[in-house]
Amino acid sequence: MTGGAGFIGSHLVDRLVEHGDAVIALDDFSTGRRDNIGRHADSGKVRIVEGTILDDALVETLVGDCDRVFHLAAAVGVAHIIANPLGSLQVNSRGTENILAACARHERKVLISSSSEVYGRGGRVPMHEDDDRILGSTVIQRWSYATAKALDEHLLLAHAAHGLRGVIVRYFNIYGPRMDPKGYGSVMATFVRQALAGDPVTVYGDGLQSRCFTYIDDCIDGTVLAMETQPAEGQVFNIGDATTEMTIADLARKVIEASGSSSTIVHESYEQHFGAGFEDTRRRVPSAARAAERLGWTAHVGLDEGIRRTLESWGQTAPD
Ligand code: UDP
C-alpha cells in the first residue's frame, strides 16, 4: 500500500491486518505519521518502508513483493496544493504513473484513490461518476489537484485497456480519527482542533458552500469492496454519503455544540486565507447509486455519530 501511514491509509492497514493480510506500507512521511501505524510495528504483519512513489526502483521492487496494490499516497489538501503546486503535481501525476506502470509489469491488481475534487466546481448534483467535470482556468492553482487526479484516472483506464486489473474510488470529504489537524487541515480537522482549543472557528466566505462528509469506517468499507469486487474492475466509484450534506457554517455550529466548546465563529474571506484568485466548489453531493448497486456499499455512520466518535478519539490523542 502506498500512503500507508496517512489518515485513510493507516485505517486501511488496520482493516487489512484484521483480515489476516500482511501489508507493506510505503510512505514518505510528508503528511503520514508513524504514530498512525505504530501499533503494527512489532506485529510482523506490517512492513513500514520510508520512501517516495517517485523512486522508480523502490516502487518496482515493492510492487513485485505484493499481490495487489492500494495506491493512496498523494499530496492532499487544498492549502497544501496551493503552497506547493509543483511538488504536489509531481507526486500526484508522476508518482501514480510509476505505480501503475509497475502494477502493469508485475500484473498486480491496483486500486487508486481519486477525489470528488475531479468534478471541479460541479454542475448538477448529485454528482454521478460519468458526469462532466467543470474546472476553472489553469492559472488557479487549486484545479491542478483535480487535473492530476483526473490524469491518474485516465492512466489507470488506459492501462486497463491493455489488461491491467484496476479500480478507482473517488472520496468525498472523508473524516474521522487521525485526521491531520495541522498538516493539510481539511475543514473537519480544522474545526475540531479549533473547537477543542476554544479558538475561533474559521468559516471561509459566506459559509453557505456545502459538502458531504463520509466517515472513515465507511470509506474503508467502500475501498475494500471496490478492490474485492471483480466485476468492478475498470470502473470508477463515488465513495460519499449524500445524506450528510451540510453547509460549512452549519458544520461550524455543529462541531462547537458537539464538543461543548466556547469557541466563536469568525468569517474570513477566501482572499484573506488563500490570497487572490482562489475558487471554491459551492456544492458537492455524490450519487452513491453505483457503489450501492455494484459494490453493495452504503454509508452507515451519520454525521452526528461520526463527529461524536471523532471528538472522542481526539480526547485520547490530543493534537497539541
Ligand atoms: N473551510 C472553511 N474553514 C476552514 C477550512 C475549510 O470554511 O478552516 C471551507 C473551504 O473553504 C471549503 C470547505 O470548507 O468550502 C471544505 O474544505 P476542505 O479543505 O475540507 O475540502 P474541499 O472539499 O474544499 O476539498
Side-chain angles (χ1 to χ4, degrees), residues 78 117 142 173 185-188 190-191 194 202-204 209 211 248 270 274 280-281 284:
V78 173
E117 181 80 3
R142 180 202 180 110
N173 295 74
S186 65
V187 68
M188 188 72 89
T190 305
F191 284 4
Q194 291 169 332
T202 51
V203 171
Y204 303 153
Q209 69 274 32
R211 296 291 187 273
I248 299 304
Y270 289 116
F274 295 107
D280 201 4
T281 298
R284 188 191 278 159

Side-chain angles (χ1 to χ4, degrees), residues 79-279:
H80 194 184
I81 304 304
I82 290 175
N84 184 15
L86 183 58
S88 303
L89 268 174
Q90 284 168 339
V91 168
N92 293 346
S93 59
R94 192 143 51 80
T96 302
E97 206 177 328
N98 284 343
I99 296 290
L100 292 175
C103 289
R105 275 192 296 272
H106 290 280
E107 298 184 2
R108 301 293 189 255
K109 183 164 178 181
V110 59
L111 172 144
I112 64 169
S113 56
S114 183
S115 169
S116 53
E117 181 80 3
V118 297
Y119 293 104
R121 292 191 186 121
R124 63 174 184 159
V125 294
M127 294 156 162
H128 292 262
E129 288 86 348
D130 298 339
D131 282 352
D132 292 345
R133 302 187 299 114
I134 302 175
L135 275 73
S137 159
T138 53
V139 302
I140 307 293
Q141 293 291 4
R142 180 202 180 110
W143 304 122
S144 66
Y145 181 70
T147 302
K149 284 290 179 183
L151 175 64
D152 295 347
E153 294 195 15
H154 274 302
L155 277 169
L156 184 140
L157 296 171
H159 273 291
H162 292 275
L164 178 73
R165 297 168 59 215
V167 63
I168 298 162
V169 286
R170 288 184 187 154
Y171 293 142
F172 281 71
N173 295 74
I174 313 298
Y175 73 102
R178 300 184 204 153
M179 283 180 303
D180 185 342
K182 287 186 269 191
Y184 51 90
S186 65
V187 68
M188 188 72 89
T190 305
F191 284 4
V192 167
R193 173 175 53 78
Q194 291 169 332
L196 289 179
D199 292 339
V201 171
T202 51
V203 171
Y204 303 153
D206 63 9
L208 297 181
Q209 69 274 32
S210 75
R211 296 291 187 273
C212 294
F213 297 92
T214 310
Y215 190 67
I216 183 69
D217 291 4
D218 287 325
C219 163
I220 299 300
D221 287 349
T223 304
V224 170
L225 281 167
M227 176 62 107
E228 287 177 352
T229 307
Q230 293 223 345
E233 286 174 15
Q235 297 178 39
V236 184
F237 293 93
N238 287 338
I239 300 296
D241 182 3
T243 65
T244 63
E245 183 177 12
M246 178 154 288
T247 67
I248 299 304
D250 283 345
L251 180 73
R253 285 188 277 272
K254 192 179 259 302
V255 171
I256 289 172
E257 195 189 312
S259 56
S261 169
S262 57
S263 289
T264 54
I265 294 177
V266 291
H267 282 262
E268 284 181 11
S269 67
Y270 289 116
E271 198 160 47
Q272 261 172 297
H273 195 77
F274 295 107
F278 178 77
E279 288 178 6

